[in-house]
Every structure is written in structure tokens, then in C-alpha cells.
Amino acid sequence: MQVADSVKDQLLRHFEEKIDKGDAIEPRDRMPDAYRKHLIRQMSQHAHSEVIGMQPEGNWITRAPSLRARQILLAKIQDEGGHGLYLYSAAETLGISRDEMIKQLHTGKAKYSNIFNYPALTWADIGAIGWLVDGAAIVNQVSLQRTSYGPYSRAMVRICKEESFHQRQGYEIMARMMAGTADQRAMAQDAMNRWWWPSLMMFGPHDSDSPHSGDAFRWKIKRHSNDELRQKFIDKTVQQAEVIGLTIPDQDLKWNEAKRGYDHGTINWEEFYQVIGGNGPCNQQRMDHHKQVHEEGAWVREAAAAYAKKKQEKLLNH
Ligand code: 3HC
């Protein structure tokens, strides 16, 4: 018992030394169970968000205003599916199966981003989602490129390259509409009004109300806090809105010279917790659709698994 403990202690000390040095923790490294659990929670929820996020945008593929707009939207949605794949695969290196992650999503044990529980009502919403939602995701994911878990950080590097195209295509939609007719300008402003505050909520509760941030910083899973990243997003996005003539729906938004950033109004955390608690405008629809499509796709998974098994048998018997 004594010997086993000292080996275990040594391995955990090795983990802590790697974290302190800023080295990446790899799947083969010994890691505290709490670190593993923290990452499985965050990475699986991140993956769920990418896949559920395909739903509001998918509804607009057949209603895109031009062939070019449809091609761009299709490319973006395909990217999101790929992001989900990278993140599920990265999470699987921690010892959880894809099936288990999907089960946790379907039983409500796992969350996905609040933002995907709002309806995409007009084409301007597709612009607001690309510009604001992917814009917020980029701010968060650029920071996560330096997360301590190797597979997660490498997935982020790959995802960030594609996110910048997502943000730019959304901003282009908003810019075109703001240069269009009065109705198009009104539609873009209406989308801005509906997506601005839920986008700020994407960064999570204030640091003082974030139960996971302590560990996240201790283990260098997070490199910036929820509020730091939210502030970065606000400061960058307010200027972009001004350039195309959109108004930020926050009458308390004011430049604060001392902090070289914008002060903003109070976020409606009651709404946030309602939405992440399953009571948002589209939670039920998103989950029903995900469950239905998961069932319909069972034959694809079975066929792929049977093919892989056959291939493996062939290799083994060769
Ligand atoms: N939506 C849903 N739940 C959220 C949330 C949000 N925006 N922000 C926080 N929460 C939940 C947390 O999951 C946690 O609940 P749990 O214990 O059941 O998991 C609780 O609220 C407390 O929040 P904490 O701040 O303590 O939790 P974290 O330290 O995990 O920080 C986070 C929250 C900043 C979202 C962090 O998890 C993170 O950085 N996740 C990775 C990024 C991500 O998931 N982005 C989702 C969007 S992906 C996307 O937008 C795709 C793009 O291509 C369109």
C-alpha cells in the first residue's frame, strides 16, 4: 500500500509540475479525477453546443436570399458539425464514450450553450448569429487555445481558423442589410436587439458567481475569466456595430476611459438560469430534434461500426 501511494503521489506531483510549467497534459498522463471530470464536463458541453448550434442555422438553408448566401451558410454549418466531431473525439481521450456523452445530453445531465435556445426568426438572425455568437465563441476559443489539456487546445487551434470566417460572413450579412432598405435596416436592428444580451451570457456567470472558475484557473483550463472575455467581446463588437450603424440595445453602455473599455448595463441572470435550466424559448424543440435525428441516424452508426469491425478482423486474420 505504502509503495503504491508513493508512486501515485509521484505521478500527481508530475502532473502539477507540468501544469506549473505550462506544459500540455496528454491523455496518457496521470491526472486527478477532478481534472478529468472538469474537462469531460466542459468539452462535452462544448461539443454539444457546436452540434445543437446547427439547428437554428439549418432552418435557413432553403430560405437563404441567394445561391451565394446559401453556399456560405452550408459551408458554415458543415464546419460546426466538424467542430463537434473534433471536440467529441478530444473528450473521448478522457475515457468517456460518445454514447455516454449523448445520453447525458438527452437526459439533461449535460448542458449546451444558452445561445442556441433562441429562435432564428429572420435572415438578419443568421447575420447576428455569425457576427455575435461566433464572434463571442472566437473570443472564448482563442483563449482556450492555451488550455492545459493537449487534445482540447489543439482542437481549438483548428476551430479558431474556421470561426473567423463564420464571424466575418455574419458581419457581412449585417453590413449589407444596414446598407439596404429601411425594412432591411429595421430587420437587422431587431436581430441585434434580440441576440445582443444572450451573446453576453454565453461567457457564463460573473466571475464571482462561477463555481468552476477556481479549479479552471488552478489547472490552467481557463486562461482568462468569464468577465475578462465578455469585456473583450463587448469592446470589440461595439465598434463594429457603430461602423455599420447598428445601435447596441443597452442604454447604460458607456466608454470608461479609466478602464479603457465599455461599462454596460445589468445582464438578466434570471433569464440565463431559466434558459440553461431548460426553460428557454427553444430548449424542447432543440432536444426533440436532436433525439429524433439521433435515432434516425442509428443505422449509419451501426453500419460504420460493422465495417470497422470487419476491417479489424481482416487485419487480425491477415
Ligand atoms: N450556456 C450554458 N451553460 C453555461 C453557460 C452558457 N453560456 N455558461 C456557463 N454555463 C454553466 C456551466 O456549464 C456550469 O454548469 P454545469 O456545472 O452544469 O456545467 C454553470 O453554468 C457555472 O458556470 P461556470 O462559469 O462556473 O462554468 P465554466 O467554468 O465551465 O465556464 C464556459 C462556462 C465559459 C461556457 C466554459 O464552460 C467554456 O469556456 N466552455 C467552452 C466554450 C463553449 O462551450 N462555448 C459554447 C459555444 S460553442 C459555439 O458557440 C459554436 C460556435 O461555432 C457557434
Side-chain angles (χ1 to χ4, degrees), residues 26-176:
E26 295 301 337
R28 292 175 312 284
D29 288 336
R30 174 95 190 180
M31 59 185 84
D33 284 346
Y35 177 82
R36 184 188 302 276
K37 266 209 214 103
H38 187 114
L39 282 166
I40 287 176
R41 176 190 61 83
Q42 176 165 331
M43 291 167 69
S44 60
Q45 294 185 157
H46 196 161
H48 297 328
S49 305
E50 299 280 2
V51 172
I52 300 265
M54 296 163 80
Q55 289 189 34
E57 294 176 316
N59 293 336
W60 278 88
I61 294 172
T62 53
R63 293 183 279 166
S66 71
L67 182 60
R68 175 180 180 270
R70 180 180 297 189
Q71 283 172 320
I72 293 173
L73 182 57
L74 265 174
K76 176 185 190 303
I77 295 171
Q78 279 169 337
D79 281 352
E80 307 298 7
H83 296 174
L85 200 59
Y86 306 150
L87 288 162
Y88 281 129
S89 306
E92 283 171 330
T93 64
L94 289 158
I96 185 169
S97 71
R98 188 77 55 93
D99 284 349
E100 177 53 29
M101 287 187 264
I102 299 298
K103 202 165 105 227
Q104 290 181 1
L105 172 69
H106 286 175
T107 54
K109 193 162 171 265
K111 295 186 170 65
Y112 56 91
S113 187
N114 67 300
I115 197 73
F116 297 121
N117 288 307
Y118 294 86
L121 302 174
T122 71
W123 178 250
D125 285 39
I126 297 302
I129 290 174
W131 172 42
L132 298 175
V133 174
D134 287 72
I138 290 179
V139 171
N140 169 287
Q141 291 168 163
V142 163
S143 173
L144 278 172
Q145 288 179 128
R146 293 179 50 238
T147 192
S148 58
Y149 189 55
Y152 196 20
S153 123
R154 291 188 290 271
M156 283 298 103
V157 172
R158 172 89 187 256
I159 287 176
C160 285
K161 288 194 180 96
E162 291 167 349
E163 288 293 8
S164 36
F165 143 63
H166 298 174
Q167 193 261 2
R168 256 205 306 281
Q169 64 82 37
Y171 189 56
E172 186 197 62
I173 291 173
M174 297 302 263
R176 278 174 176 241

